[in-house]
Amino acid sequence: MNRRRLPKAGTYQIVPSVLSADFANLAQEIAEVTATGIEVVHLDVMDGHFVPNITVGPPVVAWIRKCTNAVLDTHLMITNPEKYAERFAEAGSDHITFHVETVDDPAAFVRYLRGLGVTVGVTLNPDTPVEAVEAVAPLCDMVLVMTVNPGFGGQSFMDDAARKCIRLRQIVGPDVRIEVDGGIDPTTAGIVKGYGADTFVAGNAIFGQSDRPAAIAAIRTAIEKG
Ligand code: DX5
Ligand code: ZN
């Protein structure tokens, strides 16, 4: 499989989450954002166990793969990611992020994911301390800091959780991306940039708006100024 790689660390990336998009028109929704220069698209996978919501599985990822060249950043909010990761890789996910709360041996799971050919991310819930990812974060391409409790789009940004980016940046240095997810909009994007984030997931602030190019431009301006 021809895998796309995450843009190299050191560049700011806005990553639209299709959770707030029109799922009956996903190809068109994704094309609209990639036309503005977006390189990475965020896919939220929820199982109704790890989080109280259900979204999409590998078949949907496979169809999305056929309709875009964007890097598919797949956020697994599922128990037993060991059981399903291979199917997401086969479906065309380029990058897979798992929750540290869901595996017994995070470092071993990172090695396993790399063997599938994908780039790797680890994430932690707002209530999970930085120490839980301290050892594994430097082994990853990206660390995802959840700035809401996962499960739904459109929730309010949690500043205390976002501040974990500061310590994580000290731990991972400049070569690992730090992504934030939850309640990111033009105001909060500027704040998390200040904490050391370089990768900004936004669902409602992009797909919840009627003018998506303007919504992306507003976040981009905030990051450049922030
Ligand atoms: C939340 C998901 C997010 C979600 C963010 O559980 O992981 O990716 O789409 O949505 P907003 O940007 O609306 O908070
Ligand atoms: Zn997400």
Side-chain angles (χ1 to χ4, degrees), residues 15-20 42-46 51 53 75 77 99 144 146-157 180-185 201-206 208:
V15 180
S17 164
V18 301
L19 189 60
S20 293
H42 187 84
L43 307 178
D44 287 303
V45 175
M46 306 186 189
V51 289
N53 199 3
H75 177 190
M77 285 163 275
H99 272 262
L144 169 55
M146 290 306 301
T147 46
V148 296
N149 283 306
F152 300 92
Q155 302 183 79
S156 297
F157 173 78
V180 283
D181 184 7
I184 300 300
D185 61 19
V201 176
N204 187 56
I206 295 175

Side-chain angles (χ1 to χ4, degrees), residues 45-56 77-80 84:
V45 175
M46 306 186 189
D47 66 350
H49 287 272
F50 182 64
V51 289
N53 199 3
I54 299 174
T55 55
V56 300
M77 285 163 275
I78 63 176
T79 36
N80 282 329
Y84 298 100

Side-chain angles (χ1 to χ4, degrees), residues 13-182:
Q13 296 290 327
I14 298 168
V15 180
S17 164
V18 301
L19 189 60
S20 293
D22 176 352
F23 272 73
N25 289 298
L26 271 185
Q28 206 179 311
E29 296 279 75
I30 291 171
E32 192 177 355
V33 297
T34 54
T36 73
I38 291 295
E39 296 177 52
V40 185
V41 171
H42 187 84
L43 307 178
D44 287 303
V45 175
M46 306 186 189
D47 66 350
H49 287 272
F50 182 64
V51 289
N53 199 3
I54 299 174
T55 55
V56 300
V60 177
V61 174
W63 282 106
I64 293 173
R65 178 71 293 160
K66 288 180 197 291
C67 75
T68 182
N69 279 318
V71 177
L72 298 182
D73 164 17
T74 308
H75 177 190
L76 298 183
M77 285 163 275
I78 63 176
T79 36
N80 282 329
E82 296 100 329
K83 191 170 170 187
Y84 298 100
E86 185 174 11
R87 286 192 235 171
F88 285 96
E90 282 169 0
S93 292
D94 301 297
H95 175 88
I96 294 180
T97 290
F98 67 97
H99 272 262
V100 72
E101 300 88 356
T102 63
V103 298
D104 291 332
D105 186 343
F109 193 49
V110 169
R111 286 192 294 275
Y112 170 77
L113 289 171
R114 288 207 184 287
L116 299 178
V118 297
T119 54
V120 178
V122 66
T123 185
L124 70 176
N125 281 338
D127 288 343
T128 301
V130 168
E131 289 68 39
V133 295
E134 201 169 348
V136 73
L139 309 176
C140 297
D141 303 280
M142 188 151 81
V143 183
L144 169 55
V145 174
M146 290 306 301
T147 46
V148 296
N149 283 306
F152 300 92
Q155 302 183 79
S156 297
F157 173 78
M158 299 167 76
D159 188 69
D160 285 351
R163 284 173 189 270
K164 285 188 265 185
C165 294
I166 301 169
R167 176 78 190 113
L168 278 164
R169 182 54 80 198
Q170 293 169 343
I171 292 168
V172 300
D175 295 335
V176 174
R177 285 190 168 277
I178 297 182
E179 183 177 51
V180 283
D181 184 7

